[in-house]
Amino acid sequence: MNDYRLSDEELAELRAAHRRVRDIREAYRINAVILLGQGRGVKDIADALLLDPETVRSYFKRYQKGGLDELLRMSYVGSEALLDSTQLRELDAHLQSTLYQTAAGVARYVEQRWDVRYTPSGMNALLHRLGYVYKKPTLLPGKHQPVEVQEAFVSKYQDFKDKKSEKDVIVFMDAVHPQHNPVLGCGWIKRGKQQAIQSNTGRQRLNINGAINIETLELTYRIDNTINAVSTIALLKQLESAYPAASRIIVICDNARYYKSKLVAEYLKNSRIQLEPLPAYSPNLNLIERFWKFFKKQVLYNRYYERFAEFRIACKEFFAELDLYAPQLRTLLAENFQIIGN
């Protein structure tokens, strides 16, 4: 009687592979080997998976011969030629530095590089097996400060936290300019169907300047005709009113010109506000940027507002109901600063 038992490490590897695969045929092969490796009978496994007993045995032999590569080999390429393990490692390294929009594009690269042909569906399955998923990339600033400069700001921020008094506060400030038009985002749409969202022909927008306290999730904001030194001073006054007991209100902001204007500098001479500018080109360090992105997803993504007044009301309602989003915002606004270049 054959002994098909596998070690705990081998079973863990198979289970991890099973979670990654998207092709049902791959999943069945892994299922068969896992069940055999746990000591189940060949006939019982074949009956449960609606397979022939000899097919179940052949899957296990494949796994014994060449591991996961051999087990899954035929399920995604049919009679096509295959990349060997060295070529797969090189492809993996190439894909981590080069972004392709389609599996067909990757297949063309493979054919040009190694003269090995994959169909788009075959390459799609291979990409899943290599641990790739189809999703949008993340935008990063085209210019950014050296890692040391960014890390120095994080240390400075921590120093502010450690040394501030109990009633003093730290807020992150920035402006956002949402346009009165839907932002298209992904959503669940019936296969083969199109789903349209109405759009507006105008280009009206709101000018919102705000500051958020990530400890309390309290937002102080203004909507003005324009964001300038005057509107900035008005927001700083609102912050002082919002935190009357604070002897110091540390406001972390970017390097917008109106924050550095003479009017603002003059106001700060007799204010409890302490403006702390971020390093240049460092929106990744301003946590309110994450908040504005979340705001847009809730209010703008796939949403149509016929009149500008309705759009304005929807924005204000979101700000008034932040308590509803507290669990998401606490996770989103955690102090895990993204350091670009690490």
Side-chain angles (χ1 to χ4, degrees):
M1 182 176 179
N2 292 327
D3 183 7
Y4 296 107
R5 287 188 178 276
L6 297 174
S7 67
D8 291 341
E9 291 77 11
E10 289 171 317
L11 290 171
E13 178 195 32
L14 286 163
R15 291 190 184 98
H18 188 273
R19 289 192 294 269
R20 292 195 301 268
V21 298
R22 297 294 183 271
D23 190 304
I24 188 65
R25 296 168 298 175
E26 292 182 337
Y28 268 86
R29 291 181 180 219
I30 296 173
N31 278 341
V33 175
I34 289 175
L35 292 172
L36 270 177
Q38 291 174 334
R40 309 289 181 88
V42 172
K43 187 176 184 309
D44 291 339
I45 296 170
D47 289 343
L49 299 179
L50 303 179
L51 298 171
D52 181 84
E54 193 55 40
T55 300
V56 174
R57 294 189 186 95
S58 72
Y59 290 162
F60 195 88
K61 291 176 183 177
R62 284 180 179 275
Y63 179 71
Q64 282 186 315
K65 179 183 176 182
L68 277 167
D69 283 343
E70 181 65 24
L71 174 63
L72 303 179
R73 182 178 292 267
M74 296 301 292
S75 68
Y76 61 86
V77 297
S79 60
E80 297 168 351
L82 297 168
L83 296 178
D84 60 32
S85 58
T86 301
Q87 292 166 333
L88 285 173
R89 285 194 295 272
E90 184 179 331
L91 175 62
D92 187 25
H94 173 72
L95 292 173
Q96 291 185 52
S97 61
T98 306
L99 183 64
Y100 290 87
Q101 288 186 304
T102 64
V106 183
R108 284 193 295 273
Y109 168 79
V110 167
E111 186 169 6
Q112 292 168 2
R113 176 70 179 84
W114 292 290
D115 197 27
V116 173
R117 186 181 66 84
Y118 281 80
T119 64
S121 60
M123 180 54 68
N124 186 64
L126 174 59
L127 291 171
H128 281 304
R129 189 164 66 83
L130 290 176
Y132 290 85
V133 294
Y134 194 75
K135 62 180 182 180
K136 291 181 180 179
T138 301
L139 284 176
L140 293 177
K143 298 179 181 179
H144 59 81
Q145 294 288 348
V147 169
E148 307 79 54
V149 175
Q150 299 174 68
E151 290 178 339
F153 163 77
V154 176
S155 297
K156 185 178 182 181
Y157 169 77
Q158 189 59 51
D159 192 53
F160 285 146
K161 284 191 64 181
D162 294 341
K163 294 180 179 179
K164 75 179 182 65
S165 68
E166 183 180 348
K167 293 183 178 180
D168 288 351
V169 296
I170 301 174
V171 298
F172 290 82
M173 180 168 70
D174 190 29
V176 68
H177 309 276
Q179 193 175 61
H180 177 213
N181 230 339
V183 175
L184 295 183
C186 297
W188 293 102
I189 301 172
K190 190 77 171 179
R191 182 180 284 113
K193 301 290 185 180
Q194 296 290 333
Q195 188 158 330
I197 295 175
Q198 291 178 278
S199 63
N200 300 298
T201 56
R203 294 186 179 180
Q204 284 184 289
R205 69 177 191 177
L206 291 175
N207 296 302
I208 306 171
N209 202 5
I212 193 163
N213 182 334
I214 65 170
E215 290 187 7
T216 63
L217 300 182
E218 183 179 353
L219 177 73
T220 305
Y221 78 98
R222 291 183 57 83
I223 299 177
D224 289 289
N225 291 331
T226 186
I227 307 296
N228 54 23
V230 174
S231 64
T232 297
I233 291 171
L235 178 61
L236 298 180
K237 289 179 178 179
Q238 285 182 223
L239 279 170
E240 291 182 300
S241 297
Y243 301 101
S247 60
R248 185 175 57 150
I249 303 170
I250 300 170
V251 179
I252 296 171
C253 60
D254 61 20
N255 290 272
R257 281 185 293 181
Y258 40 79
Y259 294 152
K260 297 182 175 181
S261 68
K262 291 181 180 180
L263 280 177
V264 171
E266 189 64 30
Y267 176 79
L268 292 175
K269 289 180 181 178
N270 299 302
S271 170
R272 293 179 289 129
I273 301 287
Q274 176 181 330
L275 280 192
E276 286 296 333
L278 290 157
Y281 309 115
S282 300
N284 52 301
L285 300 177
N286 198 348
L287 297 186
I288 198 172
E289 295 280 2
R290 303 180 192 174
F291 174 79
W292 291 138
K293 186 175 181 180
F294 181 80
F295 153 69
K296 290 177 181 179
K297 284 185 176 180
Q298 300 301 319
V299 179
L300 300 180
Y301 277 37
N302 300 331
R303 302 287 183 90
Y304 169 70
Y305 304 98
E306 183 175 356
R307 295 188 298 276
F308 184 70
E310 294 174 1
F311 170 62
R312 186 187 184 99
I313 290 170
C315 293
K316 287 187 172 183
E317 286 179 345
F318 169 80
F319 297 141
E321 297 173 347
L322 289 186
D323 288 348
L324 299 177
Y325 306 99
Q328 296 145 283
L329 290 174
R330 292 205 178 279
T331 300
L332 183 67
L333 300 177
E335 296 164 315
N336 53 342
F337 294 96
Q338 180 188 23
I339 305 297
I340 299 175
N342 266 350

